[in-house]
Amino acid sequence: MSETPGWERPSDSPGADADPPPYPGWSTRQPPEPGWTVPGQPPEQEQPPAGATPPPSGSGWVQQPPPVAPGATGWGWAPPPTVKPGVIPLRPLGVGEILDGAVTTIRRNPGPMLGLSAIVAVLTQLLGLGVGYLLLRDLTALDSLGANASPGQVFEAVAGLLGASVIVVVVTWVATVLLTGILTVVVSRAVLGERQTAGAAWQAARRRLPRLLLLTIVYSLIWLAPFLLVTAFAVALGVAGAGGDATAAVAALLVLVTAPLAIWLYVRYALSGPALMLESTSPGPGEPSRPVGVTGALRRSAELVRGSWWRVFGILLLVLLIAVIISQVISVPFSLPLFVVGDQPSDSEFLLTLVISALGGIVASTITAPFTAAATVLLYVDRRIRREGLDIELARAAGVTIPGRTDARPPAPPAPGAP
């Protein structure tokens, strides 16, 4: 890995004795003070320089005002220009800039962002297609058993379907977590204006992916804990002999009560994945840094979200809604065969509809998965810029300067052998 580029203060021109501007964006040269004239009389005209030729119009020498930029009102402060080495400007981001940065990252890195997402989508959809075929076979077997079938026969008929469904869920979850970790690395480099191949992203992310799997399990258990407790309580009521209607009513009430807590926990630790993939800690001076652990990533997410929970919640909800809308819009054309085959399709027609539906799922997942991952990473970057001034470090790594913030190079280390 190359060394991090430095940053320096522009050197003054030789022999310049003018004082530097008091603040970035301000100039020490001020416009000349206008003179006072008697109302109704023309102002005094300056004498032309010695040896100069008057203008051909013969109307005299007139002092011209300094040029003014379009839309400006004259002399005054102007905001520093936006510094954008990569997909986002290096400053606190707006919601639109986060969404635009996610789309720009996909457009500039189609190989790793769309290619890897397509591979994962194909694998998971093929597994889902296999489960759909098993569903058709097991439902046919179930119908042939009739009403007099024993519980053992019913369980044997659906055992294969249940087992295959569990395998699909686990494989899809693992593949999605791994994909998110790799895409996190791609987005982090895109912020600096760099592009990575799928192989380079895999090499950079592979050592942290096992911890990311463990983090995802812990994170899921944390925000699902209120619902798991409600389920356990409902089961306990059923075992104790409570009526089915009473148990259902109590469970529904508890779900409504605990849902806000689950949402709060989900948002509080939503940035733990990017923190684990991108941050490192140093145990002590002179010791090599090492990736943050699961507990450290959860703690970092809580620190970044603190004080801005509602904003993080709103952005995550907006990203989710956009992903759902995109998935629905893409899936509609692939759902048309379901209306053509009717309510009682044949085996071949049912299999054809499964294949077409799987194609729609592949296209939708290929687009929505990288968009969601990129938006989450950019939200993490925005929170660190706002709380910790990460834009300075990003500018230093990208080799650019932010006016008024990164206008000087850090002191160079002494040369070997120097006193």
Side-chain angles (χ1 to χ4, degrees), residues 145-180:
L145 291 177
N148 298 325
S150 64
Q153 291 175 321
V154 175
F155 177 79
E156 183 179 356
V158 301
L161 173 62
L162 295 177
S165 300
V166 172
I167 293 175
V168 169
V169 170
V170 173
V171 172
T172 302
W173 173 77
V174 172
T176 303
V177 172
L178 297 180
L179 174 65
T180 303

Side-chain angles (χ1 to χ4, degrees), residues 141 153 179 186 228 251 341 387:
Q153 291 175 321
L179 174 65
V186 178
L228 296 177
V341 298
R387 291 185 63 92

Side-chain angles (χ1 to χ4, degrees), residues 58-130:
S59 58
W61 292 85
V62 180
Q63 180 180 357
Q64 299 294 331
V68 180
T73 58
W75 293 77
W77 177 85
T82 299
V83 179
K84 188 178 180 181
V87 296
I88 58 170
L90 299 185
R91 54 172 171 75
L93 304 176
V95 178
E97 290 171 330
I98 293 176
L99 301 179
D100 178 73
V103 175
T104 304
T105 302
I106 298 174
R107 182 166 49 85
R108 293 185 182 180
N109 302 271
M113 298 294 288
L114 297 178
L116 293 177
S117 301
I119 293 175
V120 172
V122 169
L123 292 177
T124 55
Q125 290 296 327
L126 286 178
L127 287 174
L129 184 62

Side-chain angles (χ1 to χ4, degrees), residues 342-357:
D343 295 334
Q344 295 180 346
S346 62
D347 294 354
S348 59
E349 290 175 339
F350 185 75
L351 184 59
L352 178 61
T353 58
L354 289 179
V355 172
I356 296 177
S357 178

